[in-house]
Amino acid sequence: DAIDVALTAHWRSTSRALEALEAVADATRGAGFWPLVRALDADADTNIDADACEAYVRARARAFVPSAAAARVMELAMGARAYSPRLEAFRAMGDAATRDGTGGDDARVACCRVQVGDDVFTEVYALVAAMDGLITRARGETFARTERDHAYATFDDALPTAVLYASPGTACFSAMHDALAKASDSRVLNYVLRPVLFDASCARANSCAASGVDGNLLRLSGFGIELAVKNMEYKAIDDSKIKSEGDEGDQQEDEEHEDEDNRASKDVFADEPVAGFNFATLAARYPESTDALKLFRDDMKKKLSLASDAPLKVWDIKDLGIQAAQRVALSSDPIGALVDVSQNFPSLADSLSRMPIDKTFAKEVRRNHRKMQPGGLVMSLNGEQLELDTVDVYALVESIAKEVGVYEELVHLGLPSTIAKFLLRIPKKENQVKIDTDNCESIVFYNDVEKDPKFERWSKDVKHLASPSPGGFPRVRRNLYTVVAILDPTDHGMWDMIDMMDQMVEAQMPIRMAQVVVTGARDDTVSTRIDPSDAKFGERVALAANYLMRAHGAEAQRDFLSAISINRQMLSEPSYFAPATYAPPTWALARQVLVTILSQLGGVDGDVEAFIVSAIESTTRNDAARELEHVRRDMSRKGLNAPSVLLNGEYVRDAVARAHGATLATMLNHHLRLEMSRVKTMFTQGEFDGVDDVSAVVTRGASKKYVPWILDEAENPPVYSAPVPYDVERVLDATFASAGDAEEIKPMSIVVIANADTKSGARLIAEVSKYALSDAGSAARFTVAHPGGSAPLAGERARAVQAALLLPSRRAKIPLFFSEICGKGVDADDAATSVGLNAADFKRLMDDDVSVDEISQAHARLVAHYGIKSKCAVIANGRVLDLTFRHCEMDADDFAVFVAVEMEQRSSEIHALVMKKVHAGELNAELGAVSRIVSRASAIVAVKQASSPRKRSIMSLETMAKDAKRTAFKSGTGAAVEIEAILDPLSKEAQRVAPVLALLRDRLSEDVCIRVILNPRINLADLPLKSYYRYVAPPESFMESPGAHITDVPTHKTLTMHVDFPESWMVTTHKATYDLDNLILKDAKDRVIHAEYRLESILVTGHASDERHQPARGTQMILEDDNTRATQGTIVMANLGYFQLPASPGMHKLSLRAGRSADIFKFEAVNDLTDTAAFDRRISENATSVDVFVDSFRGRVLEVNLKRRPGREKADVLLIAKTGPASWISNMFKKSDSRIHIFSVASGHLYERFLKIMMASVKRSTKEPVKFWFIKNWLSPSFKDYLPYMAKEYDFEFELISYKWPTWLNKQTEKQRIIWAYKILFLDVLFPLELKKVIFVDADQIVRADMAELWNMDLKGAPYGYTPMCDNNKEMEGFRFWKQGFWANHLRGKPYHISALYVVDLDRFREIAAGDRLRGMYDQLSRDPGSLANLDQDLPNFAQHEVPIFSLPQPWLWCESWCGNETKAAAKTIDLCNNPLTKEPKLEGARRIVAEWPELDDEVRAFTARVERGEILNPSAIPVAKDEL
């Protein structure tokens, strides 16, 4: 007995040769693409035998990749068919082009198609003849280029673009390619190839172009099959199916599977372990013992099956976690054992429970638990965290390929493998903008933790950071926390900040604090100010505060400001819900406070009043005014604005606080909590060991000044680029200059792109020279590249710059020389002489046209490589700073900040590592080359970091693994990739991860090192796993067809099948003869049960936020497929701004829906989080749509930034329009909808049988037209096939809908609970946006009333209506949990409702964001395994204080379990509730309880039988697709 499971894509299999072509393009960053194109086309005439195509394609692909490691990873991706979606996307785009273009019907069947603008050509002669006219017509048109397009030469946006949709190896390809290549070489157009084999017949005879193209749908791998042992407390099997199920399906399907059955019978030993024995391996080693091995295997299977039935005692279960981990650890193949234990646990539990426990092993497990949570799960790839519940082979192989590529680049530089391996793990440091506050005269602290007497009893030992302390601050007498508040008295929030700082002092928080009071230094983005009655209020307070600072010290200034704040007039008392509010202070108040303080302090010559008039209130320039000017200059030099605050140097601006709806004071509070955690982490990592000045440690990496366009990554994301090609580097390397020793190794290499013959270019060169001559510039070398283009290297100053950079001696003088000629305008010859350059060499190089030409060519290639289109830019160790928006302005201090940031990010660490190897003699490179190595390595690592998704970094487990001698194991020898995992063998995550680790071990052991620490839970109270699992790995051979052949599972138990597939896939059942919800193998007629699933769509998901960085909740989006013109719509959730849309491979258009969404918002920017190398998304001119290219099994994850349109800055898309009581969604209806919409869900043949009866009962009792909506995720193929027939017979419409569970929402693992969740969690996004109302009816319900009555019921403003639980069946009183304990307290008199029937006002539901609220509550509650026992029912009842429920009249739902028989006659619907008292099977209860049920059942079964016998014609004309309502 076995189960065969396959999963197919919805497109046909693609060419293996073209998949190899795309794989090589990725592996070589495009370098190998065109050579392989030529090879594949040239080889098409060599008559390669079809059977030899696999070896040919593999060999050809390997020949063009840089290493064996890259080839191995590439072949694993090819085995997974990872490049098939890209080819399908190109095919869809080619079909769309020929459908919309001028080619006519001929173009739609052509093998080669060229698109230029709207023109399409299929013959080369026609293309060549029309070329001139085409180029003229297409010039100026915008081409929608994708990141996967293959341009024949450097792409030029100014040229028209010709796209060839064709495949090398086809008869028409060579001529088309040659014509377009010739035009591209002449620079009259861009030539882009999108490889497509439109049909196998297009391939030339005996070529491999059509290898793998068999006309069938593409078979997929990379998914898992779970077979859960079903709880049969309530019988849920359709008895009508037991006799006939094996006879279902037509003869064609039997014939399809006949060969597979024969194969299964011949395959004596599946390559699957039984109780730890791999019988396939044993049979291969001992073929003479095959019969004996078969008997032994069958006996083992029988014993395991019997063992799995034996209920284990509580004491047997208790140590199963340790026993399972022990079996894995003691195995000679621990990864194989991990696969076996996690995937076959129900059968192994009994034998595991009898395994003696090694006390030393158990002791180590418990010791490990001191460092990690029992059962805790972690997985990382080169230190980057992987989500265990979303690990899939496609994402993993893509990541491994990138890591291997980076590793080889680093080794190619000459770095030892140990350094290369270390550099791969350097995490990107968080964007924490820090500003150095030392050496700033205006920043004076008014307290000091290390000196103030009130802290004298505290210890100076930082080890107390590890001790818990009341209030959160450990009692350590060190300046670990420093706050500098930059305050503007014209800002009302200033006084809240002063209050907060005073409270910190009073609470004895160990925070060193300073206040800088300044006006005229405001952040331009802040517009909110108070309106003081005295117009000079702010200026006078600032003058007074700074006078007190200068004359009497920081404490006097602080006392002055605190007194003003304390004496403000209170407008409202503080309450539980809101703080107190105060009137703005006046100068009269401030003046009174100043008089008091000056009188107390003394030191004023003459009368205090007279002093205030002359020094503070006077408009003449005096000492106080000069002091305030000095403070302004200090703040300007630091780039700091008011109001703002610095916490340990971290710069927090008021503008950012306001954007998040917070005040600066609350932001400081938030950042202080984060900083406390960071300081504790620094202590645990030993960063304070032996350090006297801890404040220097906590502010490490602080910049000299705040330069937002360099430091603020949120507003100005940094751009990184790979190093220039080596031939360009060879020319440039000789031109780098610095002020120090020419042989000194510099960790920073700066390239300034500037034209010295222009004022702005000369000024930029002068500033970089000034920086190089400063102390800060001692770590850098720099060179100057001429931008070229319309300004050739011809001017005297530009040639002088390059001549100086080529000088063989006295190179330390070059920065000074540049300062003279570019900064002061001194003549080049005079400057050369005055600074001491070799005048003869300089003159010779000025006249050397050959050298100038060589350097000009190198500069041109450098500018092209970095994509610089402006006249000025700066590149520092890979970071590219385009200065166009700065008008080429960048001063020496800016250079210092720029370099400091990049040094702190990675270059300092890389430099230190390289120097360590240099000093140890382990780096074979000349000293002059080491600076280049550091620079290129920094650029390579920077690009890697920038391309990595935003995930948490994980420390290496190597040290922990050394301590865990028995519970850890290692596999593989790879240096490039290290995968580390902490796993509980008896977890769902282990089921999913273990076979992937086995795949990597088997296929990439030379490239990947796997380290696992086993972390089982202890003292178990229940079986942790109740399911079997099988993983479908990518096959090694092209000839193998992926699929799961499942054996060795119990044949007598009821199993439920579930497919575990990547997060970006939407999968449904496509073919299944048997009930996959209730599989009993022993009852099946067929020896092998077949099931086929279908990949229906690939998801485009993302997060949408507005200009305030808040989720754009309620915004409606649609996704239009450019090929099929089909559209899908969704609404943005408040939960993280999440949205989800199904797509197919190809080009799509993501749009804001017409109406309030498009009226209020526009697209500002759209970033691709799946592929950070993706091109910027092309936004339409009206900013309502953006192109989205789907070409991967990983789908697309988008970061969507929206901005409100002018005049709509305060508009909310969820607010009801003022035109009337109807909501804005209702107002969008194009036509009236008289139908009643009913929604239901079912899984398994029994519930599908109930569902048919429910539908028949609805139609029998309801006069209005009805449309049914079903979640298709769990419907059987036979039911989906049956629906059109029933729809025609019973005169209703239907639609199948689906939604993928979001990754961020806490998941359910049991199928029944997942189904319950879908009934309530996604109501706002499941249905088309036009649908205004829907009624949910349980599948096992009989409807007796006209549903129009419920449809038209007034819900009194509630988003939905449910029926309260009946209260009149007294036998069930003990089961009414809602009347006692938690529920009684929580409901506070409100009724508890049943979820079998409810009506949803979708308009209202969306308007009040009910879905967001329900998901938020669910996410919190569901993390407690004891919560939400009846999920679909408990959640809305729990939430009804926030999401109100309208209570439907009691007759709308009657069920025997809770309602008395006296009310049955009035019942409008009858639900077949489970009875916890009798546990009566559903079918028996249905026949007994509902008088009309047998009649309805007979009617529906008779009609079903007629359909199955083929007596009713296929109703293909029935419109079952989505309508526009």
Side-chain angles (χ1 to χ4, degrees):
D1 296 307
I3 306 170
D4 272 2
V5 184
L7 196 159
T8 58
H10 63 266
W11 64 87
R12 300 192 183 280
S13 59
T14 47
S15 163
R16 290 281 195 173
L18 294 187
E19 289 177 35
L21 185 59
E22 290 298 320
V24 168
D26 278 9
T28 63
R29 294 181 183 168
F33 178 81
W34 291 105
L36 184 54
V37 166
R38 288 189 287 271
L40 291 174
D41 196 53
D43 292 346
D45 294 322
T46 55
N47 294 332
I48 302 168
D49 185 82
D51 294 335
C53 275
E54 176 177 354
Y56 163 77
V57 170
R58 285 181 185 272
R60 270 304 191 187
R62 280 195 211 105
F64 290 99
V65 294
S67 68
R72 285 188 290 270
V73 180
M74 179 185 71
E75 289 184 353
L76 180 54
M78 289 167 60
R81 309 303 294 268
Y83 298 96
S84 184
R86 190 181 303 177
L87 298 179
E88 173 62 13
F90 288 153
R91 184 205 60 75
M93 294 167 78
D95 285 346
T98 49
R99 180 198 64 215
D100 299 335
T102 60
D105 293 338
D106 290 343
R108 296 185 182 94
V109 295
C111 295
C112 296
R113 310 171 191 178
V114 175
Q115 180 189 17
V116 186
D118 292 331
D119 295 293
V120 178
F121 298 87
T122 59
E123 299 290 345
V124 68
Y125 69 85
L127 172 65
V128 173
M131 188 79 76
D132 291 340
L134 276 177
I135 293 168
T136 302
R137 281 201 304 278
R139 197 176 299 279
E141 290 185 0
T142 303
F143 172 63
R145 188 180 171 206
T146 78
E147 55 272 17
R148 307 304 181 202
D149 284 341
H150 308 287
Y152 185 72
T154 303
F155 195 89
D156 187 343
D157 289 325
L159 296 177
T161 300
V163 183
L164 172 58
Y165 295 96
S167 169
T170 55
C172 54
F173 178 81
S174 182
M176 284 287 198
H177 167 76
D178 290 346
L180 292 171
K182 182 179 178 181
S184 176
D185 289 337
S186 302
R187 305 311 295 145
V188 296
L189 53 70
N190 297 307
Y191 163 30
V192 167
L193 173 60
R194 290 173 177 165
V196 181
L197 184 69
F198 287 104
D199 190 84
S201 61
C202 292
R204 298 209 291 269
N206 300 319
S207 82
C208 291
S211 174
V213 180
D214 56 11
N216 295 319
L217 295 178
L218 181 72
R219 289 276 288 257
L220 301 177
S221 58
F223 65 95
I225 301 294
E226 181 188 49
L227 290 168
V229 180
K230 193 165 185 178
N231 183 344
M232 296 304 292
E233 184 178 14
Y234 296 93
K235 187 180 178 184
I237 297 176
D238 184 3
D239 56 7
S240 70
K241 294 285 182 181
I242 293 175
K243 298 174 186 175
S244 62
E245 198 158 37
D247 299 324
E248 290 185 13
D250 54 26
Q251 186 174 351
Q252 180 182 354
E253 186 168 302
D254 291 340
E255 290 171 358
E256 284 178 8
H257 296 313
E258 186 176 349
D259 291 340
E260 296 182 50
D261 291 340
N262 292 337
R263 173 180 57 76
S265 65
K266 293 173 186 174
D267 183 15
V268 178
F269 298 113
D271 191 12
E272 197 171 286
V274 178
F277 293 96
N278 191 317
F279 284 93
T281 302
L282 291 171
R285 290 179 181 174
Y286 308 103
E288 70 281 0
S289 305
T290 299
D291 292 339
L293 286 169
K294 187 175 185 302
L295 289 171
F296 179 42
R297 182 201 61 180
D298 293 344
D299 185 55
M300 289 295 296
K301 283 185 178 181
K302 189 178 295 183
K303 288 179 178 178
L304 285 173
S305 180
L306 292 172
S308 67
D309 283 341
L312 293 177
K313 304 292 190 291
V314 174
W315 51 86
D316 293 327
I317 294 172
K318 176 173 169 288
D319 295 320
L320 276 172
I322 293 177
Q323 290 162 319
Q326 186 174 302
R327 175 172 289 189
V328 171
L330 294 177
S331 172
S332 59
D333 176 13
I335 290 183
L338 181 63
V339 172
D340 185 31
V341 167
S342 63
Q343 297 194 352
N344 297 299
F345 175 72
S347 294
L348 300 176
D350 181 67
S351 64
L352 284 173
S353 69
R354 296 195 299 272
M355 183 180 190
I357 295 176
D358 183 318
K359 291 183 179 179
T360 308
F361 184 88
K363 185 177 180 181
E364 184 174 296
V365 168
R366 291 182 170 87
R367 188 171 66 244
N368 290 347
H369 287 169
R370 297 174 196 161
K371 304 173 187 176
M372 60 186 88
Q373 182 182 352
L377 307 162
V378 175
M379 187 172 176
S380 66
L381 189 153
N382 281 351
E384 190 174 278
Q385 184 176 10
L386 301 173
E387 300 296 335
L388 281 155
D389 57 349
T390 59
V391 168
D392 70 80
V393 70
Y394 300 97
L396 205 54
V397 171
E398 189 175 310
S399 296
I400 290 171
K402 289 178 181 176
E403 297 294 309
V404 167
V406 173
Y407 173 80
E408 291 182 338
E409 281 186 87
L410 293 169
V411 171
H412 185 65
L413 292 177
L415 292 173
S417 61
T418 51
I419 288 187
K421 181 179 177 180
F422 182 85
L423 296 186
L424 287 170
R425 296 187 69 102
I426 293 181
K428 185 183 187 307
K429 296 179 181 176
E430 58 185 286
N431 178 29
Q432 195 176 41
V433 179
K434 289 195 170 190
I435 310 301
D436 180 11
T437 56
D438 290 343
N439 304 315
C440 180
E441 293 179 1
S442 298
I443 296 175
V444 183
F445 297 99
Y446 59 76
N447 68 334
D448 191 311
V449 177
E450 296 179 2
K451 297 177 182 176
D452 288 356
K454 64 181 176 183
F455 298 111
E456 63 184 357
R457 299 175 70 86
W458 290 20
S459 171
K460 287 191 174 185
D461 194 337
V462 292
K463 72 180 182 182
H464 290 285
L465 286 170
S467 306
S469 177
F473 283 100
R475 299 168 70 86
V476 177
R477 195 180 185 187
R478 295 289 196 100
N479 287 320
L480 288 162
Y481 306 96
T482 297
V483 170
V484 177
I486 304 167
L487 306 169
D488 184 341
T490 63
D491 179 76
H492 197 185
M494 162 177 166
W495 308 105
D496 294 333
M497 177 63 71
I498 288 170
D499 284 349
M500 182 177 176
M501 295 176 79
D502 286 346
Q503 291 164 15
M504 290 175 172
V505 171
E506 290 170 13
Q508 286 198 334
M509 292 184 181
I511 304 172
R512 183 173 57 163
M513 288 183 272
Q515 294 170 344
V516 179
V517 184
V518 64
T519 56
R522 291 187 62 82
D523 189 333
D524 292 338
T525 60
V526 179
S527 59
T528 305
R529 301 183 184 218
I530 62 170
D531 183 21
S533 57
D534 190 335
K536 294 292 184 182
F537 171 80
E539 187 79 3
R540 289 172 176 176
V541 168
L543 286 166
N546 283 292
Y547 164 76
L548 290 170
M549 168 77 79
R550 177 174 56 82
H552 300 284
E555 288 187 72
Q557 183 197 62
R558 175 224 165 189
D559 291 343
F560 169 63
L561 297 173
S562 298
I564 296 173
S565 183
I566 290 168
N567 288 288
R568 285 176 297 160
Q569 180 187 353
M570 184 182 291
L571 298 177
S572 65
E573 295 279 348
S575 69
Y576 178 79
F577 301 101
T581 60
Y582 296 89
T586 63
W587 173 240
L589 169 62
R591 195 179 197 281
Q592 183 182 346
V593 170
L594 181 60
V595 169
T596 303
I597 287 179
L598 286 175
S599 300
Q600 293 171 349
L601 292 173
V604 175
D605 293 333
D607 182 57
V608 169
E609 287 284 345
F611 171 79
I612 292 175
V613 170
S614 63
I616 307 300
E617 296 176 335
S618 171
T619 57
T620 60
R621 183 172 173 81
N622 53 34
D623 288 347
R626 281 188 284 272
E627 182 64 28
L628 182 55
E629 277 300 319
H630 176 71
V631 174
R632 285 183 185 132
R633 284 194 301 272
D634 273 357
M635 294 302 100
S636 178
R637 279 193 292 267
K638 286 287 182 185
L640 302 174
N641 293 317
S644 61
V645 67
L646 295 143
L647 170 60
N648 283 354
E650 183 181 359
Y651 189 42
V652 183
R653 294 160 48 225
D654 189 51
V656 175
R658 291 176 188 275
H660 286 87
T663 66
L664 195 57
T666 55
M667 284 290 281
L668 173 59
N669 223 346
H670 169 69
H671 283 271
L672 191 55
R673 288 195 297 271
L674 297 178
E675 188 68 5
M676 289 168 65
S677 176
R678 190 179 76 92
V679 167
K680 191 168 185 178
T681 301
M682 293 174 75
F683 164 72
T684 59
Q685 294 175 354
E687 294 189 43
F688 298 127
D689 294 351
V691 174
D692 292 327
D693 186 4
V694 294
S695 63
V697 177
V698 295
T699 58
R700 187 185 297 139
S703 299
K704 190 174 181 180
K705 71 173 185 177
Y706 177 58
V707 186
W709 46 277
I710 293 175
L711 295 173
D712 192 340
E713 292 189 9
E715 297 296 327
N716 304 279
V719 175
Y720 292 96
S721 180
V724 293
Y726 278 98
D727 56 341
V728 177
E729 181 76 45
R730 178 186 58 77
V731 178
L732 285 180
D733 205 40
T735 69
F736 277 95
S738 63
D741 185 351
E743 293 298 313
E744 186 181 352
I745 296 171
K746 304 288 186 181
M748 180 60 61
S749 297
I750 301 171
V751 178
V752 174
I753 298 175
N755 182 356
D757 291 326
T758 64
K759 286 183 180 180
S760 59
R763 189 166 52 246
L764 186 60
I765 296 168
E767 290 296 331
V768 74
S769 302
K770 181 180 176 182
Y771 162 70
L773 291 164
S774 69
D775 290 341
S778 61
R781 63 178 191 155
F782 76 96
T783 189
V784 178
H786 191 74
S790 60
L793 189 55
E796 181 180 348
R797 192 159 53 192
R799 284 184 76 107
V801 166
Q802 297 306 322
L805 290 171
L806 292 170
L807 284 169
S809 61
R810 305 182 192 178
R811 299 185 58 78
K813 306 289 186 181
I814 293 173
L816 193 56
F817 172 71
F818 288 169
S819 295
E820 292 292 307
I821 68 168
C822 294
K824 300 176 182 177
V826 177
D827 177 76
D829 290 335
D830 293 343
T833 303
S834 66
V835 302
L837 293 181
N838 186 314
D841 284 344
F842 177 71
K843 184 172 181 7
R844 174 179 55 79
L845 290 165
M846 281 286 286
D847 298 331
D848 187 349
D849 290 337
V850 174
S851 295
V852 168
D853 184 58
E854 183 183 19
I855 202 76
S856 294
Q857 290 182 30
H859 289 172
R861 291 191 61 194
L862 177 142
V863 169
H865 172 81
Y866 287 117
I868 304 295
K869 294 182 172 64
S870 64
K871 296 177 181 178
C872 48
V874 177
I875 299 111
N877 283 10
R879 182 169 175 184
V880 183
L881 202 59
D882 191 324
L883 296 176
T884 305
F885 74 103
R886 293 279 306 164
H887 306 292
C888 300
E889 291 286 343
M890 184 171 179
D891 64 24
D893 286 345
D894 296 335
F895 274 102
V897 170
F898 188 38
V899 169
V901 167
E902 293 308 304
M903 289 290 289
E904 171 65 18
Q905 275 290 342
R906 68 199 65 81
S907 295
S908 290
E909 193 170 2
I910 293 173
H911 176 246
L913 281 168
V914 171
M915 291 307 297
K916 188 176 180 181
K917 293 297 180 182
V918 168
H919 294 143
E922 297 177 26
L923 188 61
N924 298 320
E926 298 177 4
L927 282 179
V930 176
S931 295
R932 181 182 73 245
I933 291 172
V934 173
S935 176
R936 292 183 74 90
S938 297
I940 291 166
V941 173
V943 170
K944 173 190 179 295
Q945 292 174 342
S947 65
S948 298
R950 301 165 189 172
K951 291 183 179 176
R952 191 160 61 92
S953 296
I954 304 294
M955 291 179 63
S956 174
L957 301 181
E958 188 170 356
T959 303
M960 194 182 294
K962 287 178 181 176
D963 295 336
K965 294 181 174 60
R966 291 174 174 80
T967 53
F969 62 85
K970 181 181 174 183
S971 178
T973 60
V977 178
E978 189 170 53
I979 292 178
E980 297 179 309
I982 297 175
L983 285 175
D984 177 0
L986 302 183
S987 65
K988 292 274 189 183
E989 291 79 5
Q991 285 186 327
R992 181 183 298 109
V993 168
V996 176
L997 295 180
L999 171 69
L1000 298 178
R1001 184 267 320 267
D1002 295 340
R1003 306 278 283 276
L1004 300 176
S1005 62
E1006 298 173 67
D1007 315 300
V1008 177
C1009 173
I1010 299 168
R1011 181 181 284 110
V1012 177
I1013 297 178
L1014 300 170
N1015 182 30
R1017 284 170 289 171
I1018 57 176
N1019 298 323
L1020 297 173
D1022 193 11
L1023 293 177
L1025 284 177
K1026 298 173 183 177
S1027 63
Y1028 297 85
Y1029 191 93
R1030 297 295 182 267
Y1031 183 73
V1032 180
E1036 286 194 66
S1037 169
F1038 290 175
M1039 307 306 291
E1040 294 179 51
S1041 187
H1045 182 69
I1046 303 170
T1047 58
D1048 303 328
V1049 292
T1051 60
H1052 57 289
K1053 288 192 174 184
T1054 304
L1055 304 173
T1056 295
M1057 185 181 293
H1058 172 71
V1059 187
D1060 180 26
F1061 45 86
E1063 287 294 334
S1064 55
W1065 293 10
M1066 286 285 281
V1067 173
T1068 59
T1069 320
H1070 181 61
K1071 289 181 183 178
T1073 303
Y1074 291 86
D1075 183 357
L1076 301 183
D1077 210 48
N1078 298 282
L1079 277 175
I1080 305 175
L1081 297 184
K1082 72 179 181 62
D1083 292 342
K1085 177 184 176 184
D1086 299 317
R1087 184 163 172 261
V1088 178
I1089 292 175
H1090 299 275
E1092 183 180 320
Y1093 290 83
R1094 175 68 47 81
L1095 171 62
E1096 289 207 334
S1097 59
I1098 300 172
L1099 294 180
V1100 173
T1101 64
H1103 306 273
S1105 60
D1106 62 16
E1107 66 276 12
R1108 302 166 193 148
H1109 308 289
Q1110 298 299 307
R1113 67 187 186 98
T1115 304
Q1116 297 185 2
M1117 295 182 178
I1118 58 173
L1119 190 73
E1120 181 181 354
D1121 188 319
D1122 275 3
N1123 186 32
T1124 64
R1125 300 300 192 214
T1127 59
Q1128 299 284 344
T1130 193
I1131 191 168
V1132 175
M1133 296 179 179
N1135 315 107
L1136 305 177
Y1138 180 81
F1139 65 88
Q1140 177 189 121
L1141 290 156
S1144 298
M1147 186 63 77
H1148 303 264
K1149 194 177 295 298
L1150 178 66
S1151 303
L1152 294 168
R1153 188 176 184 81
R1156 284 182 66 84
S1157 295
D1159 291 344
I1160 292 172
F1161 283 115
K1162 64 179 180 178
F1163 284 110
E1164 181 76 1
V1166 179
N1167 302 312
D1168 194 325
L1169 302 182
T1170 318
D1171 183 3
T1172 52
F1175 291 169
D1176 291 339
R1177 297 297 162 201
R1178 190 169 63 118
I1179 297 174
S1180 63
E1181 288 186 15
N1182 62 0
T1184 59
S1185 65
V1186 60
D1187 288 340
V1188 176
F1189 183 52
V1190 178
D1191 73 318
S1192 161
F1193 283 123
R1194 296 184 62 195
R1196 290 287 179 189
V1197 181
L1198 305 176
E1199 181 183 63
V1200 176
N1201 298 318
L1202 300 174
K1203 187 175 182 180
R1204 284 175 173 79
R1205 296 181 184 274
R1208 310 306 300 272
E1209 288 83 1
K1210 295 183 179 180
D1212 186 343
V1213 294
L1214 285 179
L1215 291 181
I1216 301 174
K1218 295 180 180 179
T1219 54
S1223 77
W1224 62 273
I1225 301 177
S1226 300
N1227 292 336
M1228 287 176 58
F1229 271 71
K1230 300 288 191 300
K1231 59 180 181 180
S1232 61
D1233 184 10
S1234 61
R1235 295 169 296 182
I1236 293 170
H1237 296 268
I1238 293 177
F1239 157 50
S1240 195
V1241 60
S1243 178
H1245 287 185
L1246 173 64
Y1247 276 84
E1248 289 174 350
R1249 178 177 171 186
F1250 285 137
L1251 189 58
K1252 295 174 186 176
I1253 294 167
M1254 182 271 284
M1255 292 154 63
S1257 72
V1258 167
K1259 285 300 299 177
R1260 180 180 284 190
S1261 59
T1262 302
K1263 300 180 180 63
E1264 298 292 331
V1266 175
K1267 180 170 182 177
F1268 289 101
W1269 301 79
F1270 306 111
I1271 297 182
K1272 62 184 170 185
N1273 301 38
W1274 303 284
L1275 293 177
S1276 70
S1278 58
F1279 184 82
K1280 286 183 282 190
D1281 291 342
Y1282 167 83
L1283 269 174
Y1285 294 94
M1286 187 174 185
K1288 183 177 182 181
E1289 179 73 13
Y1290 285 83
D1291 189 25
F1292 62 77
E1293 296 175 66
F1294 73 91
E1295 189 167 325
L1296 305 181
I1297 51 176
S1298 187
Y1299 197 81
K1300 183 68 181 284
W1301 193 287
T1303 56
W1304 50 267
L1305 192 64
N1306 191 40
K1307 285 183 170 58
Q1308 294 294 323
T1309 55
E1310 293 181 24
K1311 189 173 183 179
Q1312 184 57 58
R1313 289 182 64 78
I1314 295 171
I1315 293 171
W1316 285 347
Y1318 268 83
K1319 285 174 60 177
I1320 185 65
L1321 286 180
F1322 308 116
L1323 293 173
D1324 51 343
V1325 289
L1326 261 175
F1327 302 99
L1329 299 173
E1330 300 90 346
L1331 187 60
K1332 63 179 180 179
K1333 186 181 284 188
V1334 72
I1335 298 171
F1336 177 84
V1337 183
D1338 249 354
D1340 59 346
Q1341 206 159 340
I1342 304 298
V1343 176
R1344 288 178 163 180
D1346 191 329
M1347 295 301 276
E1349 181 185 346
L1350 181 57
W1351 182 260
N1352 295 318
M1353 189 172 292
D1354 183 1
L1355 301 184
K1356 308 297 183 184
Y1360 42 35
Y1362 287 75
T1363 309
M1365 277 285 201
C1366 286
D1367 204 27
N1368 53 345
N1369 185 354
K1370 300 306 178 185
E1371 291 181 359
M1372 304 299 293
E1373 195 62 31
F1375 293 95
R1376 290 190 172 92
F1377 58 86
W1378 56 90
K1379 287 190 169 185
Q1380 53 198 327
F1382 165 81
W1383 277 107
N1385 293 328
H1386 178 76
L1387 291 171
R1388 301 199 297 272
K1390 289 183 179 291
Y1392 183 88
H1393 302 81
I1394 190 168
S1395 64
L1397 173 85
Y1398 52 92
V1399 56
V1400 186
D1401 181 343
L1402 290 171
D1403 282 2
R1404 184 66 180 154
F1405 192 90
R1406 290 174 178 136
E1407 283 163 6
I1408 67 170
D1412 296 318
R1413 300 182 193 187
L1414 290 169
R1415 285 185 290 270
M1417 292 183 201
Y1418 161 81
D1419 202 47
Q1420 290 182 332
L1421 294 171
S1422 63
R1423 296 179 190 278
D1424 176 2
S1427 292
L1428 302 178
N1430 304 293
L1431 196 160
D1432 59 322
Q1433 206 162 263
D1434 286 350
L1435 183 61
N1437 279 289
F1438 178 87
Q1440 63 181 304
H1441 297 296
E1442 189 171 335
V1443 183
I1445 295 176
F1446 174 78
S1447 295
L1448 301 176
Q1450 197 68 59
W1452 270 108
L1453 195 145
W1454 185 93
C1455 85
E1456 186 183 66
S1457 300
W1458 309 107
C1459 305
N1461 283 324
E1462 63 273 17
T1463 59
K1464 183 177 179 181
K1468 296 177 185 290
T1469 70
I1470 295 178
D1471 187 70
L1472 301 174
C1473 301
N1474 287 327
N1475 190 317
L1477 194 64
T1478 65
K1479 298 183 180 177
E1480 181 181 26
K1482 288 270 185 182
L1483 286 172
E1484 293 178 16
R1487 296 184 182 105
R1488 181 181 57 79
I1489 296 168
V1490 187
E1492 64 268 37
W1493 194 91
E1495 177 195 347
L1496 283 167
D1497 185 37
D1498 290 343
E1499 175 188 313
V1500 170
R1501 287 176 64 187
F1503 178 71
T1504 302
R1506 290 172 57 207
V1507 171
E1508 290 173 348
R1509 289 194 299 267
E1511 296 174 9
I1512 300 176
L1513 293 176
N1514 190 339
S1516 56
I1518 294 289
V1520 297
K1522 289 172 62 112
D1523 60 53
E1524 295 299 324
L1525 292 173

